[in-house]
Amino acid sequence: MADPAAPGAPDSPADPRRRRRSVTRRQLHRGHFGFLRAVIQGLNARPMWERYLAEEGEVEAERDAGLAAAKMDEGAGDMEAAGGDGNEAFAGHPKVRRVTAWLRAELAAAASRAERFGMARLVRVDFRRIGRAGEGLPSLEDFAAGAGLDGFTQAEQLAAYRARFGRALDREAKRAALMHRQLEAVDWLEAMYAQPVLVDDGCRAWLADTLADRLEAAGVATIGQLVDRINSLGAGWTRALAGIGAGKARAIEAFLQAHAETLARRIGQHVTVPRRQRYAHELARVVPRGTGLVPLDKLVVPAELDGRTGAYRRPQTQCLLAAHNDYEAVLAWLRAKPGLPPAQVAKLRAQRRDLGSVPGPLDWLQTLSHTQRAYRKEAERFVLWAILVRGKPLSSMANEDCLAYREFLAAPPADWCAPRSRERWSPVWRPFEGSLSPRAQGYALGVLNNLYRFLVDQNYLMGNPWHGIHVPREARPALDVGRSLTEDQWAFVLVQLDALPPTSAHQRLQVALPLLYATGLRLSEVVAATTAHLEWVSLPGAGHRAGTKARIEGWWLEVVGKGNKLRRVPVPPAVIARLGAYLVARGHPADPGANRVPGGVALLGHATDLGERAPWAGARAASPVDAAAGIGAVTLAKQIKGFFAACAGTLRLADPRGAARLAAASTHWLRHTHISHALAAGAPLEVVQQNAGHASLDTTTRYVTTEAARRMEAMQAVWDAGRGD
C-alpha cells in the first residue's frame, strides 16, 4: 500500500495533479515555513514578517509600542535583554501570534495525517518558554575574572562554571536540542506540504480572507487574474478596490514577486512606470503570442484552422494575393485600406517610444488609420469567434455560420467583454464591451461583407457567404443630424467656457471648443494639427469693386481627414487670437507662423501646471511637460464630455430639455453643430461640404433644415387656424 504521505502518491498533498482552484482554507507556501524558522531561531520577527508574510498585512507600529509598554509594566524586564529593539512586542502582536499559532496548528495536523504524532507534538511546543538564549549567564572570561580564576586552566574554569550555572546550562542545552529538532521537523514538513503558488489557484488559497473578499467582489477570483489586473492597470490597480490601499497593494505585489517562479507569470516592469514613459517592447512582452482571446497581432492560429485547406479556397496558383492562409489574407485586406502618411507613422512610433527598435513584420498594425482600426476590430472579432467558438477557418465559413455570428453579436458572453479602457497590450483586453446595438451589428456585418468581397475579387475564395445576410431592421444606416446644439445652447456653452478658472487645461478647452465649432474638424484631425499646418493666405477677391483691388486674407488650417484626404479649412481671427494667448502660456510665440519648432507646436497640448494644481500626483506632476507635444484624442474627448456635463448641471433647473442635450453632447456634436449652423446662416452647400470633408454632397445635404423648418411653419399655421374655428 502506498504511503499516503509519500511525495507523488495519488492522495498526497504534494501530488502535482492536485489543483486548488476552489478552496475553503488557506494553503501553506514556502514563506510560511521561512517565517516559522525565524521564530524558532529567535530572529527579529518584524523584518522576517515583512520578508515572508507581507501579504498577511501590516502590523501597526502604534500597537507594537503599546504592547511593549504593557510588557514593561508587567515586569517583563528590559526590552533589549528580552529580545532587542522591540522584537518581543512585535512577536506578541495579536496578528503575529494568531498567524504563528495557525502555522503550528496546520503543521501539527499535517504531521498527524502522516502518523508522525511525536512530530505533531513537537511543532506545537514554543521552545522559548524553556529558558532564553544567554539568559543571565556571563561569558567564561567574565566569570573567571570575577571568581579569581585567571591563573587556572580552561578545563578548571569550565568545571567551576558548570558547578555554578549547571541548571541554567542544562536548560540551554535542552533548548538548543529542541530548536534543532523543531527545525528538522519544519524542513521535513516543508518538503512534504509546501504548495507552489499557481495562476489557477484561488486568491483565497493564499491571501487573507479580508483581501480575498475584496478582490472577489471586483471579479478577481484567481491569482492569475490578480497578476493580469496589476499588469493591465499598473500602479493604480487598487483604485476601484475598497479597503485595499497602497500598503496592502505593495504587500500583494511582493507576494506575487516572491512566487513568480512557480506562477510562470510575472508582474511586468512597466507597472511602476508612468504610462507616457512605457516602452513599446516592454508592453509587447506583457501578453505572449498564443491561441486565445488576444488581439490580432498576438494571435497564433492552429494549423488545422489556418485555412490552407479551406472548403471554399481557390487554388493558390489562381490567387492574386501572396497570402497562403486566412490570417495573411485578412492582413492583406486590412493593409489595402487607406493608411496613415509616413510622417504620422513616425510620430506615432515616437509616442510609443519604439524608435530604436527594428520594426517587426506586424508592427504596422500599431500605426493604423481610423478606418483600418475600425475594420481591424470587426475582422479580429470574427476571426476569434471562428477559431475559438465555431472551430472553423474563415475560408470554410458558410451562410449558416454567418447567421450564427450575427446572433453572437447581439449577446457576446461575459468573458468576451471588458471595458473600453483595457488597452490592447493588456492581459484583460477583450474584443467586446458588451452586446452590440442593432446599428453596430449592421456595421459589423457590412465590414465582414467587404472583407469577403475583397477575398473573392482577389480569387482567394470562390464565394461570399455574407451575400444575402440582412442586417437587423433597426440597424438601417442613418445620419443623426439632430446631434447638434442650438444657437442658444451654444451661446450658453460659450458663457460657461469663459467663466472657467484660469488653468492650463481650461485654457486649452477655451481654444479647442471654438476651434472645433468654427471649423467642423473631427477629433482626430484637431489633435493632430500643429502650427506648421496653419498658413496666412492673401487671395484676390472673388467680386469686383470699382477702383479697388479687394483681397481676401485669413488663416487656413491644413488637415488630413478620412481616407487620407488632404483639405484646407479657414479659421476665424477670434480663434487665432485665443490660440495665440494659449501658445504664449506654453512658452511659444503668439504668431503661429513664428514658431520654429520642427514639425510645429501642437495646437492643443498637455497641461503645463499639473504640479501646481495636483501636487499629490507625485512623480507625474513633477515630471517635465513637453510644451510642444499634442494631447491625446481620448484625453481631449473626456475633458469636453466632462465640460458638457458640468454645463448640463448648471442649466438643468432653467431648461431641463436643453440640459439633457448638453449631457448627451460629445466632441462629434461640435462637428454636427458647425455644419448645421453654417448652412442655416446661408453658407453655400459646396463650401460646407469642402470644410467638413464630406465625400458626397448628399451627406452635407442631410443637414439642411430650412425645408423642414418651412414645412413645420406652414403646418403650425394650419393648426393655429383650426384652433381659431
Side-chain angles (χ1 to χ4, degrees):
M1 180 176 178
D3 182 358
D11 295 325
S12 167
D15 179 12
R17 288 169 288 181
R18 299 183 63 182
R19 293 295 181 265
R20 301 166 303 285
R21 289 180 174 83
S22 59
V23 297
T24 57
R25 59 185 297 168
R26 298 286 302 281
Q27 304 295 310
L28 296 173
H29 59 72
R30 298 191 182 280
H32 291 124
F33 293 90
F35 178 73
L36 191 57
R37 284 195 194 89
V39 171
I40 292 172
Q41 295 176 80
L43 302 179
N44 194 321
R46 178 180 287 279
M48 296 299 103
W49 178 276
E50 294 173 353
R51 178 177 179 180
Y52 293 115
L53 297 180
E55 73 276 6
E56 298 288 345
E58 295 177 307
V59 177
E60 302 83 357
E62 294 80 3
R63 188 71 175 272
D64 295 347
L67 287 168
K71 283 191 173 291
M72 291 289 286
D73 292 341
E74 293 170 4
D78 180 73
M79 291 301 296
E80 290 191 11
D85 299 328
N87 186 41
E88 287 295 319
F90 185 86
H93 190 284
K95 182 183 291 186
V96 179
R97 288 205 316 269
R98 183 171 63 250
V99 172
T100 305
W102 170 72
L103 283 174
R104 291 184 183 277
E106 287 290 310
L107 295 184
S112 296
R113 289 195 298 271
E115 299 183 359
R116 301 289 184 100
F117 301 109
M119 181 181 291
R121 290 190 297 272
L122 177 65
V123 295
R124 283 186 178 275
V125 176
D126 186 354
F127 75 93
R128 292 174 299 176
R129 298 175 182 175
I130 307 174
R132 295 187 182 278
E135 179 183 21
L137 298 180
S139 66
L140 180 63
E141 293 77 8
D142 292 341
F143 170 74
L149 302 175
D150 290 338
F152 289 75
T153 65
Q154 187 177 41
E156 292 172 327
Q157 291 175 349
L158 284 172
Y161 191 87
R162 171 162 286 282
R164 178 74 176 272
F165 302 111
R167 295 182 61 184
L169 290 173
D170 289 341
R171 283 197 303 270
E172 281 298 305
K174 182 178 180 180
R175 182 178 183 276
L178 180 58
M179 181 180 73
H180 180 71
R181 289 174 57 201
Q182 278 192 325
L183 290 175
E184 287 182 335
V186 171
D187 291 343
W188 186 87
L189 288 166
E190 179 180 13
M192 295 297 300
Y193 293 99
Q195 300 285 356
V197 183
L198 306 175
V199 292
D200 290 329
D201 292 344
C203 292
R204 197 171 295 279
W206 301 112
L207 303 178
D209 286 341
T210 53
L211 289 178
D213 289 341
R214 290 159 183 164
L215 290 170
E216 289 176 1
V220 182
T222 68
I223 294 294
Q225 291 172 344
L226 178 57
V227 176
D228 288 346
R229 181 183 179 91
I230 296 173
N231 278 336
S232 303
L233 304 181
W237 66 272
T238 62
R239 288 196 188 108
L241 301 176
I244 300 182
K248 290 185 176 68
R250 286 193 299 270
I252 292 173
E253 291 168 15
F255 169 77
L256 296 174
Q257 296 282 18
H259 297 278
E261 184 177 349
T262 59
L263 279 174
R265 191 180 302 179
R266 298 176 180 273
I267 298 176
Q269 296 180 351
H270 70 281
V271 168
T272 57
V273 179
R275 180 173 174 177
R276 281 185 290 173
Q277 297 178 15
R278 296 172 185 168
Y279 284 93
H281 67 274
E282 293 174 339
L283 299 180
R285 289 198 299 260
V286 175
V287 176
R289 288 174 55 81
T291 303
L293 286 176
V294 295
L296 192 63
D297 51 312
K298 294 289 184 73
L299 181 63
V300 175
V301 182
E304 64 274 14
L305 298 176
D306 68 1
R308 292 176 186 269
T309 59
Y312 306 113
R313 278 288 305 272
R314 286 190 178 275
Q316 186 68 36
T317 55
Q318 299 177 11
C319 182
L320 301 178
L321 296 175
H324 291 84
N325 56 56
D326 295 345
Y327 185 85
E328 294 175 358
V330 170
L331 294 183
W333 163 76
L334 192 61
R335 201 156 198 174
K337 302 303 173 185
L340 296 176
Q344 196 166 349
V345 170
K347 181 178 179 181
L348 289 174
R349 290 198 68 204
Q351 291 174 350
R352 293 181 65 243
R353 299 167 66 84
D354 62 355
L355 287 177
S357 62
V358 178
L362 297 181
D363 271 20
W364 63 274
L365 287 171
Q366 309 299 329
T367 53
L368 301 179
S369 66
H370 290 283
T371 299
Q372 287 176 316
R373 287 204 302 270
Y375 279 37
R376 176 188 61 186
K377 178 175 67 176
E378 303 304 339
E380 187 172 60
R381 290 169 169 176
F382 186 59
V383 170
L384 291 172
W385 176 84
I387 293 171
L388 302 178
V389 177
R390 209 65 172 175
K392 296 177 68 174
L394 264 63
S395 53
S396 295
M397 286 290 156
N399 185 270
E400 293 78 9
D401 299 305
C402 297
L403 289 173
Y405 184 67
R406 186 179 67 178
E407 296 175 1
F408 180 84
L409 290 177
D415 59 341
W416 281 63
C417 303
R420 182 180 298 184
S421 58
R422 304 306 187 246
E423 298 186 65
R424 294 180 62 81
W425 55 264
S426 163
V428 293
W429 171 89
R430 293 295 179 268
F432 292 92
E433 294 177 60
S435 299
L436 269 63
S437 68
R439 181 172 296 180
Q441 294 175 42
Y443 178 80
L445 301 190
V447 171
L448 295 175
N449 194 356
N450 181 284
L451 165 62
Y452 274 79
R453 191 165 61 245
F454 171 86
L455 297 179
V456 171
D457 291 344
Q458 301 298 320
N459 265 5
Y460 183 84
L461 293 178
M462 63 179 62
N464 181 0
W466 290 100
H467 184 70
I469 301 294
H470 298 290
V471 300
R473 185 175 299 274
E474 299 86 350
R476 291 176 179 173
L479 182 62
D480 185 5
V481 297
R483 291 187 301 165
S484 61
L485 304 176
T486 66
E487 285 83 353
D488 289 342
Q489 290 164 358
W490 175 244
F492 175 78
V493 166
L494 288 179
V495 171
Q496 300 301 308
L497 190 66
D498 290 337
L500 290 174
T503 67
S504 176
H506 288 161
Q507 194 171 9
R508 177 181 63 213
L509 194 64
Q510 289 166 343
V511 173
L513 262 65
L515 178 61
L516 288 165
Y517 171 78
T519 60
L521 294 178
R522 299 179 178 90
L523 175 62
S524 60
E525 295 168 348
V526 75
V527 296
T530 70
T531 53
H533 300 138
L534 280 168
E535 182 183 8
W536 175 264
V537 178
S538 178
L539 301 170
H544 300 282
R545 295 183 183 177
T548 64
K549 293 184 179 180
R551 299 190 65 82
I552 304 298
E553 299 180 331
W555 288 95
W556 291 79
L557 178 62
E558 186 178 86
V559 296
V560 178
K562 290 180 66 175
N564 204 24
K565 294 179 180 178
L566 187 68
R567 74 179 191 279
R568 294 207 307 169
V569 181
V571 183
V575 173
I576 295 296
R578 283 180 179 259
L579 174 63
Y582 178 50
L583 290 173
V584 170
R586 292 159 60 194
H588 298 285
D591 183 359
N595 281 284
R596 295 292 180 263
V597 176
V601 177
L603 301 189
L604 304 175
H606 298 287
T608 56
D609 56 357
L610 184 61
E612 302 170 17
R613 295 185 296 108
W616 58 85
R620 178 169 169 247
S623 59
V625 175
D626 184 356
I631 189 177
V634 174
T635 303
L636 180 61
K638 287 182 177 179
Q639 185 183 14
I640 292 177
K641 186 72 176 176
F643 172 71
F644 280 145
C647 291
T650 304
L651 188 62
R652 187 161 290 117
L653 291 178
D655 182 6
R657 185 166 297 179
R661 290 188 65 78
L662 283 172
S666 64
T667 308
H668 204 67
W669 278 50
L670 294 172
R671 177 172 167 82
H672 289 292
T673 302
H674 162 80
I675 298 172
S676 299
H677 288 194
L679 291 172
L685 194 61
E686 64 275 10
V687 170
V688 178
Q689 177 202 4
Q690 293 169 357
N691 286 346
H694 286 154
S696 171
L697 196 61
D698 292 339
T699 304
T700 314
T701 305
R702 295 183 185 182
Y703 289 88
V704 179
T705 58
T706 52
E707 177 62 20
R710 187 184 66 80
R711 288 173 58 194
M712 177 63 75
E713 185 179 20
M715 291 308 299
Q716 285 179 347
V718 173
W719 298 332
D720 291 341
R723 284 195 297 270
D725 295 341

